Amino acid sequence: RSDINLSGSLTMRGWYANSLDNDNNTVAGDTAFYDTLFRLLMEAKVDKAKAVIELQNASSGSDKWGTSSDFQAGDNADLHFRQAYIAFPVMGLNVSVGHQLLSLGVKSFFDASKDGAAGIVVVYPFGKNVVGLGTIKATENNVVTANAWSGQSGSDLDIHFGLASFDLGGGHTLGI
């Protein structure tokens, strides 16, 4: 059995102010910030496998107001993959590979829940408990500098992690 779901969102924001300069009692003029965020999400499920693709018209950091380069309309608009990954089961493990919305430690250690990051996550669920391993490509700037001690080194950041979540009963969980 296969299912294809298409959804999305359109967010429009605006802010207008007139004469914000109260210190000098002069008219500072008008200030206005307007932007639009468009997201298109496609989820396809075939048997137990799932593919997700989400496009958005703004670059990363889309929660910033009034930036001049983001939220452009027409021919100047940027289109980015917010998510593009596949998820599938293999021998009792749940595997997801690709550009995903990921966070670690309740977003304290790593947070790519707005714009996503490339990663591989392997999780073993048993009952209400979960253990897993993963790797995330946090940044990739393609800047390589020579290092006499260890050869080539770049400015990218890879995060390798293990995780566990255990149900303690009574609505309490323990996460590691």
PDB file of all heavy atoms in Angstrom, residues 91-116:
ATOM      1  N   MET A  91      15.866  -5.078   9.557  1.00  0.00           N
ATOM      2  CA  MET A  91      16.107  -6.069  10.609  1.00  0.00           C
ATOM      3  C   MET A  91      15.774  -5.534  12.004  1.00  0.00           C
ATOM      4  O   MET A  91      16.569  -5.624  12.928  1.00  0.00           O
ATOM      5  CB  MET A  91      17.558  -6.557  10.566  1.00  0.00           C
ATOM      6  CG  MET A  91      17.928  -7.199   9.254  1.00  0.00           C
ATOM      7  SD  MET A  91      19.587  -7.894   9.152  1.00  0.00           S
ATOM      8  CE  MET A  91      20.605  -6.713   9.961  1.00  0.00           C
ATOM      9  N   GLY A  92      14.621  -4.919  12.170  1.00  0.00           N
ATOM     10  CA  GLY A  92      14.188  -4.409  13.466  1.00  0.00           C
ATOM     11  C   GLY A  92      14.704  -3.024  13.807  1.00  0.00           C
ATOM     12  O   GLY A  92      14.348  -2.471  14.844  1.00  0.00           O
ATOM     13  N   LEU A  93      15.563  -2.462  12.973  1.00  0.00           N
ATOM     14  CA  LEU A  93      16.091  -1.118  13.186  1.00  0.00           C
ATOM     15  C   LEU A  93      15.329  -0.120  12.314  1.00  0.00           C
ATOM     16  O   LEU A  93      14.917  -0.454  11.206  1.00  0.00           O
ATOM     17  CB  LEU A  93      17.576  -1.056  12.825  1.00  0.00           C
ATOM     18  CG  LEU A  93      18.514  -1.998  13.561  1.00  0.00           C
ATOM     19  CD1 LEU A  93      19.892  -1.960  12.942  1.00  0.00           C
ATOM     20  CD2 LEU A  93      18.563  -1.629  15.036  1.00  0.00           C
ATOM     21  N   ASN A  94      15.158   1.092  12.806  1.00  0.00           N
ATOM     22  CA  ASN A  94      14.589   2.167  12.003  1.00  0.00           C
ATOM     23  C   ASN A  94      15.733   3.059  11.543  1.00  0.00           C
ATOM     24  O   ASN A  94      16.475   3.601  12.364  1.00  0.00           O
ATOM     25  CB  ASN A  94      13.571   2.978  12.804  1.00  0.00           C
ATOM     26  CG  ASN A  94      12.336   2.173  13.134  1.00  0.00           C
ATOM     27  OD1 ASN A  94      11.988   1.243  12.424  1.00  0.00           O
ATOM     28  ND2 ASN A  94      11.680   2.520  14.212  1.00  0.00           N
ATOM     29  N   VAL A  95      15.894   3.227  10.232  1.00  0.00           N
ATOM     30  CA  VAL A  95      16.999   3.972   9.647  1.00  0.00           C
ATOM     31  C   VAL A  95      16.433   5.178   8.910  1.00  0.00           C
ATOM     32  O   VAL A  95      15.458   5.056   8.178  1.00  0.00           O
ATOM     33  CB  VAL A  95      17.798   3.084   8.664  1.00  0.00           C
ATOM     34  CG1 VAL A  95      18.936   3.860   8.036  1.00  0.00           C
ATOM     35  CG2 VAL A  95      18.301   1.822   9.353  1.00  0.00           C
ATOM     36  N   SER A  96      17.053   6.335   9.104  1.00  0.00           N
ATOM     37  CA  SER A  96      16.706   7.517   8.311  1.00  0.00           C
ATOM     38  C   SER A  96      18.004   8.150   7.810  1.00  0.00           C
ATOM     39  O   SER A  96      18.960   8.303   8.551  1.00  0.00           O
ATOM     40  CB  SER A  96      15.877   8.521   9.118  1.00  0.00           C
ATOM     41  OG  SER A  96      16.586   8.998  10.225  1.00  0.00           O
ATOM     42  N   VAL A  97      18.002   8.488   6.514  1.00  0.00           N
ATOM     43  CA  VAL A  97      19.198   8.997   5.848  1.00  0.00           C
ATOM     44  C   VAL A  97      18.815  10.211   5.019  1.00  0.00           C
ATOM     45  O   VAL A  97      17.858  10.158   4.249  1.00  0.00           O
ATOM     46  CB  VAL A  97      19.815   7.915   4.927  1.00  0.00           C
ATOM     47  CG1 VAL A  97      21.030   8.447   4.201  1.00  0.00           C
ATOM     48  CG2 VAL A  97      20.134   6.651   5.700  1.00  0.00           C
ATOM     49  N   GLY A  98      19.574  11.300   5.168  1.00  0.00           N
ATOM     50  CA  GLY A  98      19.348  12.489   4.357  1.00  0.00           C
ATOM     51  C   GLY A  98      19.289  13.753   5.182  1.00  0.00           C
ATOM     52  O   GLY A  98      19.660  13.775   6.362  1.00  0.00           O
ATOM     53  N   HIS A  99      18.792  14.816   4.573  1.00  0.00           N
ATOM     54  CA  HIS A  99      18.685  16.132   5.201  1.00  0.00           C
ATOM     55  C   HIS A  99      17.401  16.159   6.030  1.00  0.00           C
ATOM     56  O   HIS A  99      16.301  16.169   5.472  1.00  0.00           O
ATOM     57  CB  HIS A  99      18.672  17.214   4.115  1.00  0.00           C
ATOM     58  CG  HIS A  99      18.909  18.578   4.633  1.00  0.00           C
ATOM     59  ND1 HIS A  99      20.165  19.082   4.827  1.00  0.00           N
ATOM     60  CD2 HIS A  99      18.048  19.546   5.014  1.00  0.00           C
ATOM     61  CE1 HIS A  99      20.080  20.310   5.293  1.00  0.00           C
ATOM     62  NE2 HIS A  99      18.792  20.614   5.416  1.00  0.00           N
ATOM     63  N   GLN A 100      17.540  16.157   7.373  1.00  0.00           N
ATOM     64  CA  GLN A 100      16.405  15.980   8.268  1.00  0.00           C
ATOM     65  C   GLN A 100      16.372  17.076   9.322  1.00  0.00           C
ATOM     66  O   GLN A 100      17.382  17.698   9.613  1.00  0.00           O
ATOM     67  CB  GLN A 100      16.508  14.640   9.005  1.00  0.00           C
ATOM     68  CG  GLN A 100      17.022  13.518   8.188  1.00  0.00           C
ATOM     69  CD  GLN A 100      17.349  12.285   9.000  1.00  0.00           C
ATOM     70  OE1 GLN A 100      16.565  11.866   9.836  1.00  0.00           O
ATOM     71  NE2 GLN A 100      18.493  11.704   8.741  1.00  0.00           N
ATOM     72  N   LEU A 101      15.208  17.266   9.923  1.00  0.00           N
ATOM     73  CA  LEU A 101      15.075  18.157  11.068  1.00  0.00           C
ATOM     74  C   LEU A 101      15.511  17.364  12.294  1.00  0.00           C
ATOM     75  O   LEU A 101      14.845  16.415  12.701  1.00  0.00           O
ATOM     76  CB  LEU A 101      13.630  18.643  11.220  1.00  0.00           C
ATOM     77  CG  LEU A 101      13.038  19.349  10.000  1.00  0.00           C
ATOM     78  CD1 LEU A 101      11.598  19.762  10.265  1.00  0.00           C
ATOM     79  CD2 LEU A 101      13.876  20.543   9.613  1.00  0.00           C
ATOM     80  N   LEU A 102      16.665  17.726  12.857  1.00  0.00           N
ATOM     81  CA  LEU A 102      17.263  16.971  13.952  1.00  0.00           C
ATOM     82  C   LEU A 102      17.595  17.886  15.120  1.00  0.00           C
ATOM     83  O   LEU A 102      17.916  19.058  14.930  1.00  0.00           O
ATOM     84  CB  LEU A 102      18.562  16.301  13.485  1.00  0.00           C
ATOM     85  CG  LEU A 102      18.440  15.267  12.373  1.00  0.00           C
ATOM     86  CD1 LEU A 102      19.819  14.924  11.831  1.00  0.00           C
ATOM     87  CD2 LEU A 102      17.747  14.025  12.890  1.00  0.00           C
ATOM     88  N   SER A 103      17.534  17.330  16.325  1.00  0.00           N
ATOM     89  CA  SER A 103      18.001  18.037  17.513  1.00  0.00           C
ATOM     90  C   SER A 103      18.473  17.003  18.528  1.00  0.00           C
ATOM     91  O   SER A 103      18.012  15.869  18.533  1.00  0.00           O
ATOM     92  CB  SER A 103      16.899  18.920  18.107  1.00  0.00           C
ATOM     93  OG  SER A 103      15.814  18.136  18.546  1.00  0.00           O
ATOM     94  N   LEU A 104      19.404  17.418  19.383  1.00  0.00           N
ATOM     95  CA  LEU A 104      19.953  16.548  20.422  1.00  0.00           C
ATOM     96  C   LEU A 104      19.850  17.240  21.768  1.00  0.00           C
ATOM     97  O   LEU A 104      20.086  18.444  21.876  1.00  0.00           O
ATOM     98  CB  LEU A 104      21.423  16.223  20.141  1.00  0.00           C
ATOM     99  CG  LEU A 104      21.726  15.433  18.867  1.00  0.00           C
ATOM    100  CD1 LEU A 104      23.227  15.322  18.673  1.00  0.00           C
ATOM    101  CD2 LEU A 104      21.093  14.063  18.921  1.00  0.00           C
ATOM    102  N   GLY A 105      19.524  16.460  22.798  1.00  0.00           N
ATOM    103  CA  GLY A 105      19.484  17.005  24.151  1.00  0.00           C
ATOM    104  C   GLY A 105      18.441  18.089  24.317  1.00  0.00           C
ATOM    105  O   GLY A 105      18.725  19.147  24.854  1.00  0.00           O
ATOM    106  N   VAL A 106      17.217  17.850  23.864  1.00  0.00           N
ATOM    107  CA  VAL A 106      16.128  18.816  23.924  1.00  0.00           C
ATOM    108  C   VAL A 106      16.608  20.165  23.367  1.00  0.00           C
ATOM    109  O   VAL A 106      16.386  21.215  23.926  1.00  0.00           O
ATOM    110  CB  VAL A 106      15.562  18.973  25.360  1.00  0.00           C
ATOM    111  CG1 VAL A 106      14.231  19.700  25.344  1.00  0.00           C
ATOM    112  CG2 VAL A 106      15.396  17.641  26.039  1.00  0.00           C
ATOM    113  N   LYS A 107      17.333  20.079  22.244  1.00  0.00           N
ATOM    114  CA  LYS A 107      17.866  21.222  21.493  1.00  0.00           C
ATOM    115  C   LYS A 107      18.959  21.984  22.246  1.00  0.00           C
ATOM    116  O   LYS A 107      19.343  23.060  21.851  1.00  0.00           O
ATOM    117  CB  LYS A 107      16.745  22.174  21.079  1.00  0.00           C
ATOM    118  CG  LYS A 107      15.688  21.501  20.221  1.00  0.00           C
ATOM    119  CD  LYS A 107      14.602  22.459  19.840  1.00  0.00           C
ATOM    120  CE  LYS A 107      13.516  21.728  19.072  1.00  0.00           C
ATOM    121  NZ  LYS A 107      12.411  22.586  18.735  1.00  0.00           N
ATOM    122  N   SER A 108      19.479  21.418  23.326  1.00  0.00           N
ATOM    123  CA  SER A 108      20.536  22.080  24.085  1.00  0.00           C
ATOM    124  C   SER A 108      21.903  21.875  23.448  1.00  0.00           C
ATOM    125  O   SER A 108      22.751  22.749  23.497  1.00  0.00           O
ATOM    126  CB  SER A 108      20.575  21.556  25.521  1.00  0.00           C
ATOM    127  OG  SER A 108      19.374  21.854  26.181  1.00  0.00           O
ATOM    128  N   PHE A 109      22.150  20.697  22.869  1.00  0.00           N
ATOM    129  CA  PHE A 109      23.459  20.373  22.320  1.00  0.00           C
ATOM    130  C   PHE A 109      23.552  20.642  20.817  1.00  0.00           C
ATOM    131  O   PHE A 109      24.587  21.034  20.318  1.00  0.00           O
ATOM    132  CB  PHE A 109      23.807  18.912  22.614  1.00  0.00           C
ATOM    133  CG  PHE A 109      23.844  18.609  24.077  1.00  0.00           C
ATOM    134  CD1 PHE A 109      22.868  17.833  24.656  1.00  0.00           C
ATOM    135  CD2 PHE A 109      24.847  19.127  24.876  1.00  0.00           C
ATOM    136  CE1 PHE A 109      22.893  17.557  26.008  1.00  0.00           C
ATOM    137  CE2 PHE A 109      24.881  18.859  26.228  1.00  0.00           C
ATOM    138  CZ  PHE A 109      23.898  18.075  26.804  1.00  0.00           C
ATOM    139  N   PHE A 110      22.469  20.392  20.106  1.00  0.00           N
ATOM    140  CA  PHE A 110      22.439  20.618  18.663  1.00  0.00           C
ATOM    141  C   PHE A 110      20.992  20.848  18.258  1.00  0.00           C
ATOM    142  O   PHE A 110      20.096  20.135  18.698  1.00  0.00           O
ATOM    143  CB  PHE A 110      23.009  19.404  17.922  1.00  0.00           C
ATOM    144  CG  PHE A 110      22.964  19.549  16.432  1.00  0.00           C
ATOM    145  CD1 PHE A 110      23.888  20.340  15.769  1.00  0.00           C
ATOM    146  CD2 PHE A 110      21.983  18.921  15.690  1.00  0.00           C
ATOM    147  CE1 PHE A 110      23.848  20.494  14.396  1.00  0.00           C
ATOM    148  CE2 PHE A 110      21.931  19.064  14.319  1.00  0.00           C
ATOM    149  CZ  PHE A 110      22.863  19.850  13.670  1.00  0.00           C
ATOM    150  N   ASP A 111      20.761  21.847  17.413  1.00  0.00           N
ATOM    151  CA  ASP A 111      19.403  22.163  16.988  1.00  0.00           C
ATOM    152  C   ASP A 111      19.372  22.512  15.504  1.00  0.00           C
ATOM    153  O   ASP A 111      19.803  23.583  15.104  1.00  0.00           O
ATOM    154  CB  ASP A 111      18.850  23.323  17.808  1.00  0.00           C
ATOM    155  CG  ASP A 111      17.390  23.622  17.481  1.00  0.00           C
ATOM    156  OD1 ASP A 111      16.767  22.828  16.745  1.00  0.00           O
ATOM    157  OD2 ASP A 111      16.867  24.634  17.969  1.00  0.00           O
ATOM    158  N   ALA A 112      18.894  21.583  14.703  1.00  0.00           N
ATOM    159  CA  ALA A 112      18.636  21.836  13.288  1.00  0.00           C
ATOM    160  C   ALA A 112      17.165  21.555  13.012  1.00  0.00           C
ATOM    161  O   ALA A 112      16.798  20.997  11.994  1.00  0.00           O
ATOM    162  CB  ALA A 112      19.533  20.970  12.412  1.00  0.00           C
ATOM    163  N   SER A 113      16.307  21.940  13.972  1.00  0.00           N
ATOM    164  CA  SER A 113      14.884  21.666  13.834  1.00  0.00           C
ATOM    165  C   SER A 113      14.168  22.683  12.961  1.00  0.00           C
ATOM    166  O   SER A 113      13.013  22.491  12.623  1.00  0.00           O
ATOM    167  CB  SER A 113      14.229  21.600  15.215  1.00  0.00           C
ATOM    168  OG  SER A 113      14.372  22.845  15.878  1.00  0.00           O
ATOM    169  N   LYS A 114      14.853  23.783  12.580  1.00  0.00           N
ATOM    170  CA  LYS A 114      14.231  24.761  11.691  1.00  0.00           C
ATOM    171  C   LYS A 114      14.643  24.553  10.242  1.00  0.00           C
ATOM    172  O   LYS A 114      13.827  24.652   9.352  1.00  0.00           O
ATOM    173  CB  LYS A 114      14.610  26.183  12.125  1.00  0.00           C
ATOM    174  CG  LYS A 114      13.969  26.598  13.410  1.00  0.00           C
ATOM    175  CD  LYS A 114      14.292  28.031  13.721  1.00  0.00           C
ATOM    176  CE  LYS A 114      13.650  28.437  15.025  1.00  0.00           C
ATOM    177  NZ  LYS A 114      13.975  29.810  15.381  1.00  0.00           N
ATOM    178  N   ASP A 115      15.935  24.299   9.994  1.00  0.00           N
ATOM    179  CA  ASP A 115      16.440  24.225   8.628  1.00  0.00           C
ATOM    180  C   ASP A 115      17.016  22.870   8.250  1.00  0.00           C
ATOM    181  O   ASP A 115      17.398  22.667   7.116  1.00  0.00           O
ATOM    182  CB  ASP A 115      17.505  25.306   8.405  1.00  0.00           C
ATOM    183  CG  ASP A 115      16.924  26.694   8.610  1.00  0.00           C
ATOM    184  OD1 ASP A 115      15.860  26.969   8.042  1.00  0.00           O
ATOM    185  OD2 ASP A 115      17.535  27.479   9.339  1.00  0.00           O
ATOM    186  N   GLY A 116      17.127  21.950   9.190  1.00  0.00           N
ATOM    187  CA  GLY A 116      17.608  20.617   8.894  1.00  0.00           C
ATOM    188  C   GLY A 116      19.115  20.523   8.760  1.00  0.00           C
ATOM    189  O   GLY A 116      19.822  21.509   8.649  1.00  0.00           O
TER     190      GLY A 116
END
